[in-house]
Amino acid sequence: MAADNALAYDERLTVPRTWWVIVFAFGLAMALVFFPYGLIAALIAFVAGGGLATTFASSQGSMRIRVTPTLLVVGDARLPLNALGEPHALVGEEARAWRTYKADTRAFLVMRSYISGAVRVEVLDPDDPTPYLYISTRSPEQLAAAIRGAARTEAAGNEQ
């Protein structure tokens, strides 16, 4: 049973460290706006502005990608590996092309502007209108290899 839950890949899409500098700067800017109303108002604005910016930055970093022996889990989506085709690691211009002019509006997209790499996986299920998955990742080769390996393992397990 423990082998069924073993993770072949696990990644959390976190925001870059520079975003936390922006969070602090946003709180500071809010404090400066309210400073003419007094020190207490400035402190309240700093905490409120910083809290608002922190919430936004945290929500952008909350996406998690996991590959188990039977599933690809992206955020709340749970996709069976037997419904997916061959994964393609995308970097540089190819990744940009698939998130811009080659993109299909029906595709399942998990894009993060601060991550340049991605994996594109075709959806083989004929009942699913989604043509492919586009998943931003910092290590596209590793994610593609994990999907391939887990899919092979599942296929071998189903044959037995």
Side-chain angles (χ1 to χ4, degrees):
M1 185 75 177
D4 292 340
N5 296 329
L7 291 176
Y9 184 84
D10 188 13
E11 178 182 10
R12 185 186 235 12
L13 301 181
T14 57
V15 296
R17 290 185 185 105
T18 55
W19 280 35
W20 296 109
V21 173
I22 295 169
V23 165
F24 178 78
F26 185 78
L28 188 59
M30 292 297 294
L32 290 173
V33 167
F34 283 87
F35 190 72
Y37 299 106
L39 184 59
I40 300 292
L43 289 175
I44 291 170
F46 177 75
V47 170
L52 182 66
T54 298
T55 301
F56 175 76
S58 295
S59 71
Q60 289 297 305
S62 66
M63 182 63 65
R64 192 163 210 133
I65 302 167
R66 294 182 178 134
V67 178
T68 70
T70 58
L71 294 172
L72 170 61
V73 181
V74 182
D76 293 334
R78 302 172 65 82
L79 308 152
L81 291 175
N82 59 7
L84 301 177
E86 180 69 18
H88 303 280
L90 308 172
V91 292
E93 180 57 32
E94 189 178 12
R96 190 187 73 73
W98 279 101
R99 54 176 187 264
T100 55
Y101 63 89
K102 284 186 178 181
D104 188 327
T105 57
R106 300 170 301 151
F108 177 79
L109 305 172
V110 175
M111 293 189 292
R112 295 295 186 257
S113 62
Y114 48 84
I115 298 176
S116 61
V119 170
R120 186 178 61 83
V121 185
E122 299 294 327
V123 176
L124 301 178
D125 185 358
D127 297 329
D128 192 342
T130 307
Y132 62 87
L133 314 171
Y134 178 96
I135 306 164
S136 289
T137 176
R138 286 191 171 90
S139 44
E141 294 293 337
Q142 290 177 358
L143 176 56
I147 293 170
R148 267 187 225 106
R152 278 193 215 112
T153 302
E154 181 187 20
N158 288 340
E159 290 174 4
Q160 293 177 2

